[in-house]
C-alpha cells in the first residue's frame, strides 16, 4: 500500500504529539534547530508508515461505509474521495469510531507516544555522542543532515535502527548493546592478524555505550575483478564455518553487504542460538536420529540459499548469498486499488522481490564460485579445530561471555502476520476474541517448536508488544542463557550458551556440514535444471562388450551404497539424509515420503531390484528384503502419525497432491507394490486411504503442475480406479480435471497455460508446465470419455507447440528468459515433451507424434546428454526417450540401442553415478539421485517389464 494515500487522514493523530516532541527537542543542549526539524520529520515519516500499515484497511472499510450510507454526497467519485479524506483528517472522525472500535485510539496513542519517546532518546544520544564518532565516518560528524528511522523491525517501545547522513559522513544508530559486534570484530582480527588466515570477512566498526551504539555505514560496492570475487566467496565459506561454532543465525540478505571482496555482516546480534532437544516426530526413530544429526547445522545460519514455505513469501530465497535476480517468484503485495475514488479497496499486486546489496557482482553467477565457498569452509573449519586442540579457542570465545545476544524464538514473519490480524478492523471491533485467537496460535506454535515460548505470561507479553506495533524481542547474556523478553518476561532455563555451542560444534560431523553447504547452494536457482559450465560426463572413448555384466555390476553397486547409507531405528524404521526437493526449493534433511526423492521412490527401487533378482536379471544384494520391510514400515508410521494428529483435531497443512512430490506419488507407489504382490491388500488399502485426501490437497494447491500439483494426482487416481474397479476414484480425477480446466488461462491464439507465483505467464515442459498438464488431461479424457478435457489438453499442447524454436530445433524454456534459452530434460524440455506424447501414442501411429519424437530425440542427443546421470534432467531419462526414437526409426542418424547403452555404462564406469546439481553429494532418491540410475539399469534388460516412472506407467 502507498502510505501517501491516507497521510492526511493519519496526520491529525500524530501532529499534536509531534509538536510536543519538537518542543522537547529544542531543550536538548547541542541539538541545532535544523537538526530538531530533521528528527521531527523522520519521526513523522516513521509514524505515518506504521499507522498506515495498521489502519489502512479500517479506513478503506469506513470509506465504503460512508459511500453506502450516503455520508459522501459529492458529485463524482474523485470528489467523494476528497470529501472522505477531509472528513477523516479531523479528530472528531476518529473519536466517533471509538464506539465501534473501543481500543482504537488507545492503541494509536501508544504507538505515537512510543515512537516519539524513541526519537527523543535518539536525539539526546546523538547530541551527547557526536564528538566521539569521528572514527566511524572519517571526520567529525558535524550537523545531522538526514535521518531515517525504521531500518528493520521495531522492538521494545518502538526502538528501530536509524540511518544518518551528517556533514562528516554517514552513520548507523542501533538501539541495542553492540558489545557482541565488537567481540566478533576482535575474534575475526585475531584470526587474520595473529593466525594469518587470509580472509576478507568483516563487521562494521562500532562504538558501544551501555545499551546502544553507533556503527560505520557500509557502502555496497561490486567486486572489480575475478580475484575480488574469489576472495568474497571464499570468505563466505569462512563465515559459514565461524558462524557454525558461534551458533549464528538470521544472516539473511539484508544483513550482509558486499563491499568489493569483503562480505560484511552488518547485524550479528543473533549468536549462540540455544539448541533445544526436538520433540519426537512420530515418523520413526530413524527419522529422529537423522534430524538429530542435522540439528544446529549450517543451514540455520541464514547465509545459504533456502526458499521460504510461508504464505506471502513462498519460494523466496532471502539468504545472505541467495536472492539472485531472475530466480525469485513474484510476490503478492497489498495495494489500494482505485485509489483516489470512493470505490477504493484493498487489492493485491504481484511484484518482484526486493533487491538487497548482498551480491558482489551485478549479475552474479553463484555457481561459478561454489568451489570457493567450499574451500573457505574447509579452511576455516580446519583452523578452528586446530585452535580448539591448542586450547586457544575457548580463550577467544570468552570475548563473548558478557555480551548480550538476541534469540529469535519465533520467525519475524509469523509475528508480523499476527500483528496484522490483531489490527484488522474485526479485531479492533472485538479485541478479546481476536487476542484469544492469537494466543491460541502462539501456544500451538510452542507445541511444535521447543524454543517458542509456551508460558502463558510470556505469550501475553508478546501479544502486548504486537498490539503496540512492535516485534517481540528476547535477549540474554551469552554466559547465562535465560531469556529476557517483552514486559520483563523470562523464558528458558539458565545455561551457558557459549559452552553449549562449543560442545555442539565439537560433536558435529564436519563432512555432513560440508555436504549441507554444497547441497544448499542449489536452492539459489529456482529450476530443476543443470549447473552452468559443467564438464561433460560423456566418455572420451566408448567401451563395448559385456553389457549385461556391466549393467548388473553398476546397479548392484548403487543398491549396496543406498543400503549402506541407511539410518536404522530401534523401532524398525529407516531414514536417509539427502538434499530434498520441496514444492519451492531444496534442503538437506531426512528424506520425506514422496516418490521424487523420498522413501516411496526407494521402496519402488528396492522392490523392483528384488523382483529382477528373482528373475535372474540382477545380482543378489543381501539384506534388501529386510530393508524393504523397514521402508514400508516407515511409510506406515508416517501415515499413522498424521492420522493421530488429525484425530487430536490438530489442523495440519494440506499435503501436496502431485504425482512425484505429493499424495499422488504415494498412491502410485502403493499401486505398483500391490501389482508386484507385496502385501496386495494392505498396499491397495493404503492407496485408497491416501486418495481420500486428494480433494483437500488440490483445493489448497497453487502450482497445478504434474510434479507437486493437481495435474499430478490424476494419473495415479486413474490407476487406482483401474486397480480397485471403484468408479469413485475416476470421479475424483474428474473433479481435479474440472479444477484444472477452470484454472487455465488463454494466451491469445497460442493455447492455454497455468499460472503460479514462480511463472505467472506460464511455462512449458512436463514436470511444471503445459505439457504435463495436457498429458494428464488427455489420459483423463480417455478414461472418462469427456471431450472437454481433451479440448483443454489440445490447447495446452498448442501452448507447447508455440514454444518450439525452429532455428534452434528445440523448445524454449520460459523459466530462462535470457536469449530464449532452450532445454532438453525430462523436467523442463525435450525429453519430457517427447515422453509425454509417446506415452499417449506408444506406437507413434500419428504423423504428428513421429515429427515431435524426431525433434525431441534430436534435441536430446545434441543438448541433453553428458551433463548429469539422473532421471529428472540427466542421461538416464534421455536413454528412455532415445530408445523410443530408435524403436520408431526416428533417432538421430547412426544411433543404435547397443551404442547408447555402451556409452552410458562407460560414463558410469569413468565417473560413477553423478546426480543432482550438487554432483558430489550422495542422493539415494529416484528422480535426482542414484536410485533412478539403478532403476533404469534394471529396465535396460530386454526382458524387464518394470513400468516407466517418468510417465507413471502401471
Amino acid at each position: 500500500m502507498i502510505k501517501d494515500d491516507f497521510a492526511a487522514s493519519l496526520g491529525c493523530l500524530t501532529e499534536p504529539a509531534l509538536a510536543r516532541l519538537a518542543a522537547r527537542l529544542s531543550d536538548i543542549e547541542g541539538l541545532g534547530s535544523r537538526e530538531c526539524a530533521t528528527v521531527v520529520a523522520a519521526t513523522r515519516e516513521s509514524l505515518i508508515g506504521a499507522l498506515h500499515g495498521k489502519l489502512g484497511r479500517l479506513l478503506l472499510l469506513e470509506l465504503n461505509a460512508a459511500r453506502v450510507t450516503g455520508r459522501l454526497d459529492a458529485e463524482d467519485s474523485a470528489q467523494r474521495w476528497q470529501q472522505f479524506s477531509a472528513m477523516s483528517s479531523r479528530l472528531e472522525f476518529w473519536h466517533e469510531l471509538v464506539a465501534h472500535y473501543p481500543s482504537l485510539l488507545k492503541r494509536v496513542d501508544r504507538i505515537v507516544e512510543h515512537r516519539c519517546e524513541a526519537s527523543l532518546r535518539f536525539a539526546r544520544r546523538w547530541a551527547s555522542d557526536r564528538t566521539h564518532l569521528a572514527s566511524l565516518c572519517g571526520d567529525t560528524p558535524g550537523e545531522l543532515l538526514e535521518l531515517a528511522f525504521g531500518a528493520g523491525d521495531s522492538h521494545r517501545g518502538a526502538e528501530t535502527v536509524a540511518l544518518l547522513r551528517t556533514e562528516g559522513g554517514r552513520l548507523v544508530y542501533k538501539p541495542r548493546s553492540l558489545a557482541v559486534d565488537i567481540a566478533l570484530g576482535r575474534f575475526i582480527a585475531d584470526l587474520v592478524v595473529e593466525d594469518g588466515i587470509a580472509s576478507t570477512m568483516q563487521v562494521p566498526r562500532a562504538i558501544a555505550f551501555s545499551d546502544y551504539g553507533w556503527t560505520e555505514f557500509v557502502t555496497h560496492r561490486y567486486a572489480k575483478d575475478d580475484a575480488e570475487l574469489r576472495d568474497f566467496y571464499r570468505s563466505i565459506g569462512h563465515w559459514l564455518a565461524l558462524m557454525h561454532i558461534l551458533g549464528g543465525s538470521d544472516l539473511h540478505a539484508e544483513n550482509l553487504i558486499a563491499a568489493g571482496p569483503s562480505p560484511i555482516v552488518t547485524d550479528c546480534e543473533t549468536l549462540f542460538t540455544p539448541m533445544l532437544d526436538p520433540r519426537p516426530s512420530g515418523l520413526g526413530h530413524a527419522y529422529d536420529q537423522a534430524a538429530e544429526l542435522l540439528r544446529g547445522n549450517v543451514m540455520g545460519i541464514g547465509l545459504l540459499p533456502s526458499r521460504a514455505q510461508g504464505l506471502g513469501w513462498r519460494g523466496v530465497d532471502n539468504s545472505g548469498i541467495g536472492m539472485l535476480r531472475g530466480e525469485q517468484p513474484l510476490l503478492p503485495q497489498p495495494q489500494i486499488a482505485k485509489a483516489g475514488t470512493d470505490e477504493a479497496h484493498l487489492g493485491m499486486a504481484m511484484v518482484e522481490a526486493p533487491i538487497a546489496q548482498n551480491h558482489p557482482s551485478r549479475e552474479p553467477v553463484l555457481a561459478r564460485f561454489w568451489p570457493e565457498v567450499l574451500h573457505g569452509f574447509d579452511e576455516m573449519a580446519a583452523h578452528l579445530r586446530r585452535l580448539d586442540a591448542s586450547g586457544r579457542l575457548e580463550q577467544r570465545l570468552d570475548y563473548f561471555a558478557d555480551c548480550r545476544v538476541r534469540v529469535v524464538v519465533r520467525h519475524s514473519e509469523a509475528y508480523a502476520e499476527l500483528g496484522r490480524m490483531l489490527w484488522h478492523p474485526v479485531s479492533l471491533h472485538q479485541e478479546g476474541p481476536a487476542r484469544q485467537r492469537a494466543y491460541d496460535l502462539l501456544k500451538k506454535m510452542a507445541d511444535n517448536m521447543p524454543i517458542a515460548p509456551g508460558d502463558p505470561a510470556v505469550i501475553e507479553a508478546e501479544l502486548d508488544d504486537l498490539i503496540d506495533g512492535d516485534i517481540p524481542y528476547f535477549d540474554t547474556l551469552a554466559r547465562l542463557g535465560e531469556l529476557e523478553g517483552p514486559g520483563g518476561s523470562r523464558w528458558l532455563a539458565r545455561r551457558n550458551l557459549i559452552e553449549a555451542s562449543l560442545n555442539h560444534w565439537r560433536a558435529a560431523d564436519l563432512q555432513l556440514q560440508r555436504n549441507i553447504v554444497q547441497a544448499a547452494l542449489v536452492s539459489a536457482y529456482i529450476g530443476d535444471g543443470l549447473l552452468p559450465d559443467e564438464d561433460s560426463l560423456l566418455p572420451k572413448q566408448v567401451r563395448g562388450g559385456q553389457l549385461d555384466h556391466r549393467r548388473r555390476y553398476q546397479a548392484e553397486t548403487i543398491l549396496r551404497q543406498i543400503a549402506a547409507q541407511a539410518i536404522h531405528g530401534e523401532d524398525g524404521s529407516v531414514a536417509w539424509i539427502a538434499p530434498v526437493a520441496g514444492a519451492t526449493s531444496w534442503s538437506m534433511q531426512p528424506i520425506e515420503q514422496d516418490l521424487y526423492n523420498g522413501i516411496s521412490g526407494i521402496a519402488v527401487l528396492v522392490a523392483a531390484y528384488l523382483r529382477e533378482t528373482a528373475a535372474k536379471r540382477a545380482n543378489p544384494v543381501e539384506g534388501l528384503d529386510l530393508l524393504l520391510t523397514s521402508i514400508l514400515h516407515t511409510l506406515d508410521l508416517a501415515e499413522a502419525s498424521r492420522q493421530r494428529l488429525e484425530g487430536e483435531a490438530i489442523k495440519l497443512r494440506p499435503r501436496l497432491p502431485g504425482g512425484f512430490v505429493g499424495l499422488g506419488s504415494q498412491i502410485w507407489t502403493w499401486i505398483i507394490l500391490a501389482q508386484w504382490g507385496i502385501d496386495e491388500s494392505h498396499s491397495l488399502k493404503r492407496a485408497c486411504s491416501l486418495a481420500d485426501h486428494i480433494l483437500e490437497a488440490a483445493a489448497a494447491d497453487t502450482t497445478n503442475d504434474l510434479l507437486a500439483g493437481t495435474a499430478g494426482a490424476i494419473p495415479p487416481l486413474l490407476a487406482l480406479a483401474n486397480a480397485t474397479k471403484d468408479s469413485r476414484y475416476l470421479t475424483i480425477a474428474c473433479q481435479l480435471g474440472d479444477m484444472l480446466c477452470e484454472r487455465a488461462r488463454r494466451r491469445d491464439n497460442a493455447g492455454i497455460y497455468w499460472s503460479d507465483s514462480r511463472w505467472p505467464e506460464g511455462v512449458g515442459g512436463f514436470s511444471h508446465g503445459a505439457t504435463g498438464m495436457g498429458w494428464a488431461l488427455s489420459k483423463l479424457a480417455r478414461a472418462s470419455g469427456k471431450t472437454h478435457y481433451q479440448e483443454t489438453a489440445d490447447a495446452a499442447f498448442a501452448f507447447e507447440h508455440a514454444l518450439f524454436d525452429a532455428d534452434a530445433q528445440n523448445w524454449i524454456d520460459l523459466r530462462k528468459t535470457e536469449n530464449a534459452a532452450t532445454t532438453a530434460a525430462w523436467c523442463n524440455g525435450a525429453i519430457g515433451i517427447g515422453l509425454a506424447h509417446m506415452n499417449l501414442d506408444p506406437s507413434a501411429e500419428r504423423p504428428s507424434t513421429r515429427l515431435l519424437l524426431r525433434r525431441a530425440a534430436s534435441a536430446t542427443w545434441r543438448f541433453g546428454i553428458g551433463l548429469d546421470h539422473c532421471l529428472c534432467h540427466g542421461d538416464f531419462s534421455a536413454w528412455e526417450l532415445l530408445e523410443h526414437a530408435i524403436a520408431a526409426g526416428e533417432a538421430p542418424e547412426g544411433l543404435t540401442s547397443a551404442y547408447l547403452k555402451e556409452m552410458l555404462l562407460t560414463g558410469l564406469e569413468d565417473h560413477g553415478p553423478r546426480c543432482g546439481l550438487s554432483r558430489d553429494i550422495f542422493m539415494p532418491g529416484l528422480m535426482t539421485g542414484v536410485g533412478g540410475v539403478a532403476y533404469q539399469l534394471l529396465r535396460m534388460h530386454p526382458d524387464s517389464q518394470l513400468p516407466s516412472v517418468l510417465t507413471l506407467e502401471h
Side-chain angles (χ1 to χ4, degrees):
M1 289 192 281
I2 303 171
K3 64 185 177 185
D4 291 343
D5 292 333
F6 286 124
S9 302
L10 300 171
C12 66
L13 300 173
T14 61
E15 288 307 319
L18 290 171
R20 292 193 295 273
L21 173 63
R24 297 173 73 184
L25 290 172
S26 65
D27 292 335
I28 298 176
E29 184 177 350
L31 193 69
S33 59
R34 287 189 298 186
E35 291 180 309
C36 290
T38 298
V39 174
V40 171
T43 307
R44 177 181 292 108
E45 180 78 5
S46 170
L47 273 173
I48 294 299
L51 292 177
H52 193 281
K54 291 168 175 54
L55 300 177
R57 286 176 296 189
L58 182 145
L59 283 166
L60 289 172
L61 182 65
E62 292 301 319
L63 168 66
N64 182 65
R67 176 178 59 83
V68 170
T69 59
R71 291 186 67 187
L72 304 179
D73 55 7
E75 292 184 2
D76 60 39
S77 184
Q79 289 177 347
R80 289 191 291 273
W81 166 274
Q82 293 297 329
Q83 189 178 14
F84 179 79
S85 179
M87 179 192 305
S88 58
S89 299
R90 297 192 298 269
L91 279 175
E92 292 83 357
F93 169 85
W94 294 96
H95 285 294
E96 289 174 6
L97 295 181
V98 171
H100 195 66
Y101 309 111
S103 64
L104 173 62
L105 289 184
K106 292 179 181 178
R107 291 193 190 189
V108 170
D109 287 345
R110 282 199 299 271
I111 289 178
V112 173
E113 178 186 355
H114 287 170
R115 296 212 171 218
C116 287
E117 287 296 325
S119 296
L120 188 65
R121 280 192 296 276
F122 161 82
R124 287 170 175 159
R125 290 167 175 174
W126 165 247
S128 65
D129 297 346
R130 76 170 86 200
T131 57
H132 305 294
L133 306 180
S135 62
L136 299 181
C137 56
D139 198 357
T140 303
E143 185 178 350
L144 175 63
L145 302 177
E146 293 180 11
L147 175 66
F149 293 114
D153 296 322
S154 69
H155 306 288
R156 300 186 294 190
E159 293 279 15
T160 70
V161 173
L163 305 180
L164 297 74
R165 187 173 70 85
T166 73
E167 290 178 315
R170 303 192 71 177
L171 291 166
V172 180
Y173 163 76
K174 295 189 176 182
R176 64 167 176 83
S177 170
L178 297 186
V180 67
D181 303 63
I182 293 171
L184 182 56
R186 182 183 175 188
F187 195 102
I188 292 171
D190 285 351
L191 292 171
V192 174
V193 177
E194 291 190 18
D195 304 345
I197 298 294
S199 182
T200 58
M201 58 179 178
Q202 296 180 36
V203 294
R205 290 173 294 134
I207 293 177
F209 293 86
S210 59
D211 57 354
Y212 71 97
W214 310 84
T215 76
E216 66 176 317
F217 180 88
V218 178
T219 301
H220 176 257
R221 173 175 79 79
Y222 290 128
K224 62 184 179 183
D225 53 29
D226 270 12
E228 286 198 345
L229 285 171
R230 285 192 292 273
D231 286 344
F232 178 90
Y233 286 109
R234 187 171 63 254
S235 294
I236 287 292
H238 292 162
W239 270 123
L240 286 168
L242 180 58
M243 284 296 171
H244 185 216
I245 190 173
L246 297 180
S249 62
D250 208 34
L251 299 189
H252 52 72
E254 293 183 357
N255 282 343
L256 183 81
I257 294 180
S262 297
I264 301 180
V265 172
T266 60
D267 202 341
C268 52
E269 61 180 332
T270 51
L271 300 186
F272 306 108
T273 300
M275 284 172 286
L276 306 184
D277 292 334
R279 297 181 177 90
S281 66
L283 302 176
H285 293 173
Y287 187 98
D288 293 342
Q289 286 176 238
E292 176 60 24
L293 288 172
L294 291 169
R295 188 163 62 99
N297 71 64
V298 289
M299 284 303 299
I301 296 167
L303 278 174
L304 290 169
S306 175
R307 296 189 182 273
Q309 299 294 323
L311 294 177
W313 285 90
R314 186 176 176 85
V316 174
D317 169 22
N318 192 34
S319 64
I321 61 170
M323 219 173 201
L324 298 180
R325 294 183 180 92
E327 299 290 342
Q328 307 303 311
L330 295 178
L331 299 176
Q333 179 174 300
Q335 67 172 11
I336 296 180
K338 294 190 176 182
T341 75
D342 66 340
E343 297 178 354
H345 60 274
L346 192 63
M348 286 288 179
M350 301 304 292
V351 300
E352 292 186 0
I355 299 300
Q357 301 180 72
N358 58 320
H359 291 301
S361 54
R362 193 174 303 278
E363 297 295 335
V365 185
L366 178 59
R368 278 184 58 206
F369 296 97
W370 288 0
E372 296 295 338
V373 175
L374 290 167
H375 172 69
F377 179 82
D378 291 341
E379 179 182 45
M380 182 61 73
H383 179 70
L384 292 170
R385 290 289 195 202
R386 290 192 295 271
L387 277 180
D388 191 33
S390 70
R392 290 184 291 161
L393 183 57
E394 284 192 75
Q395 295 173 5
R396 293 183 185 179
L397 289 175
D398 282 343
Y399 299 166
F400 300 96
D402 290 314
C403 296
R404 296 205 74 81
V405 293
R406 181 186 176 194
V407 176
V408 179
V409 299
R410 309 183 199 267
H411 295 305
S412 294
E413 292 84 356
Y415 277 137
E417 189 61 36
L418 281 174
R420 282 189 286 271
M421 186 191 84
L422 288 166
W423 278 84
H424 191 278
V426 173
S427 301
L428 289 168
H429 176 57
Q430 293 185 313
E431 181 174 324
R435 185 176 179 118
Q436 185 61 50
R437 284 195 301 273
Y439 178 94
D440 293 341
L441 288 169
L442 292 177
K443 189 69 172 66
K444 184 180 295 184
M445 191 182 299
D447 293 338
N448 298 320
M449 297 173 54
I451 200 171
D455 184 327
V458 181
I459 294 177
E460 293 292 355
E462 291 178 283
L463 293 175
D464 288 342
D465 263 19
L466 291 171
I467 287 173
D468 286 351
D470 283 340
I471 298 296
Y473 188 97
F474 294 81
D475 67 356
T476 184
L477 288 179
R479 60 179 169 81
L480 292 182
E482 182 185 27
L483 304 188
E484 298 177 24
S489 60
R490 302 274 176 168
W491 178 241
L492 297 184
R494 285 197 170 197
R495 64 188 304 207
N496 188 318
L497 298 180
I498 300 172
E499 183 180 288
S501 289
L502 178 59
N503 289 336
H504 181 272
W505 175 80
R506 284 171 172 164
D509 181 341
L510 285 184
Q511 183 58 48
L512 175 61
Q513 300 303 318
R514 188 187 195 276
N515 289 349
I516 293 170
V517 173
Q518 188 170 355
L521 292 169
V522 67
S523 287
Y525 296 90
I526 200 166
D528 318 80
L530 297 156
L531 288 180
D533 304 323
E534 281 280 14
D535 295 332
S536 175
L537 297 176
L538 291 179
K540 292 182 172 58
Q541 184 173 356
V542 173
R543 292 184 290 276
Q546 295 186 304
L547 280 180
D548 193 59
H549 170 77
R550 294 160 68 191
R551 175 192 69 81
R552 287 168 176 261
Y553 175 77
Q554 291 295 330
E556 176 189 350
T557 301
I558 291 172
L559 265 294
R560 289 188 182 279
Q561 184 184 24
I562 289 173
Q565 293 285 339
I567 299 169
H568 293 275
E570 295 178 356
D571 59 350
S573 62
V574 66
W576 286 265
I577 293 174
V580 171
T584 60
S585 70
W586 294 76
S587 61
M588 195 78 164
Q589 63 186 58
I591 65 173
E592 299 290 343
Q593 292 81 47
D594 61 84
L595 179 72
Y596 189 82
N597 268 337
I599 292 181
S600 289
I602 299 178
V604 170
L605 169 64
V606 174
Y609 196 91
L610 289 169
R611 185 177 177 83
E612 295 299 286
T613 301
K616 309 300 184 184
R617 294 189 288 264
N619 298 337
V621 173
E622 60 276 8
L624 284 191
D625 50 349
L626 295 177
L627 181 61
L628 180 60
T629 298
S630 294
I631 291 170
L632 300 182
H633 175 57
T634 303
L635 287 172
D636 283 340
L637 285 174
E639 191 62 22
S641 174
R642 188 173 184 99
Q643 290 176 0
R644 183 175 62 255
L645 293 174
E646 290 173 341
E648 295 170 1
I650 295 176
K651 185 173 178 57
L652 302 174
R653 176 180 291 183
R655 287 176 280 189
L656 298 168
F660 291 87
V661 180
L663 288 169
S665 76
Q666 293 182 62
I667 293 171
W668 184 84
T669 297
W670 288 108
I671 292 171
I672 294 300
L673 295 177
Q675 290 178 352
W676 290 346
I678 298 173
D679 199 349
E680 183 176 357
S681 175
H682 174 73
S683 295
L684 285 179
K685 182 179 178 182
R686 285 294 314 281
C688 295
S689 174
L690 291 163
D692 290 339
H693 301 280
I694 283 285
L695 287 176
E696 178 191 14
D701 171 45
T702 59
T703 65
N704 301 307
D705 66 15
L706 197 69
L707 189 81
T710 299
I714 291 175
L717 285 170
L718 298 179
L720 185 60
N722 185 60
T724 62
K725 309 306 179 186
D726 189 336
S727 63
R728 72 188 180 99
Y729 298 116
L730 175 59
T731 300
I732 296 173
C734 289
Q735 290 175 276
L736 301 188
D738 293 340
M739 289 182 187
L740 280 178
C741 293
E742 291 169 6
R743 295 171 179 175
R745 298 184 181 183
R746 185 164 296 279
R747 174 180 282 183
D748 300 327
N749 296 321
I752 62 171
Y753 65 94
W754 286 263
S755 176
D756 74 17
S757 62
R758 296 165 294 176
W759 309 296
E761 298 301 315
V763 290
F766 193 62
S767 69
H768 296 302
T771 299
M773 299 174 200
W775 171 78
L777 287 170
S778 289
K779 295 180 81 66
L780 180 60
R782 295 177 182 185
S784 67
K786 297 181 179 180
T787 58
H788 70 284
Y789 297 137
Q790 190 60 55
E791 291 168 358
T792 305
D794 290 341
F797 294 147
F799 181 90
E800 162 202 284
H801 179 72
L803 296 179
F804 187 76
D805 185 328
D807 294 332
Q809 284 294 294
N810 199 2
W811 286 267
I812 296 171
D813 185 352
L814 292 178
R815 302 170 309 148
K816 306 174 186 298
T817 56
E818 295 182 8
N819 303 320
T822 60
T823 52
W826 169 84
C827 51
N828 297 280
I831 295 173
I833 292 170
L835 287 174
H837 288 275
M838 281 304 299
N839 181 259
L840 295 173
D841 184 14
S843 300
E845 296 178 353
R846 293 192 292 269
S848 59
T849 303
R850 287 190 165 272
L851 173 62
L852 191 146
L853 178 60
R854 185 163 60 249
R855 287 173 168 178
S858 173
T860 297
W861 187 243
R862 286 179 292 131
F863 306 119
I865 294 283
L867 295 175
D868 192 285
H869 286 138
C870 76
L871 287 187
C872 182
H873 43 260
D875 291 357
F876 280 81
S877 57
W879 165 77
E880 187 167 324
L881 175 75
L882 291 172
E883 286 285 6
H884 280 297
I886 291 167
E890 300 294 348
E893 186 175 356
L895 180 62
T896 66
S897 177
Y899 177 80
L900 180 60
K901 292 170 184 173
E902 289 169 353
M903 181 183 70
L904 294 180
L905 286 170
T906 304
L908 285 180
E909 292 160 349
D910 288 348
H911 301 283
R914 306 289 292 274
C915 292
L917 293 171
S918 302
R919 286 184 170 184
D920 296 328
I921 301 297
F922 171 73
M923 301 173 69
L926 205 57
M927 294 304 296
T928 63
V930 297
V933 176
Y935 189 79
Q936 296 292 71
L937 287 169
L938 295 175
R939 295 186 71 232
M940 276 184 181
H941 193 285
D943 296 331
S944 174
Q945 298 297 312
L946 297 177
S948 170
V949 68
L950 296 175
T951 51
L952 298 178
E953 290 179 352
H954 57 89

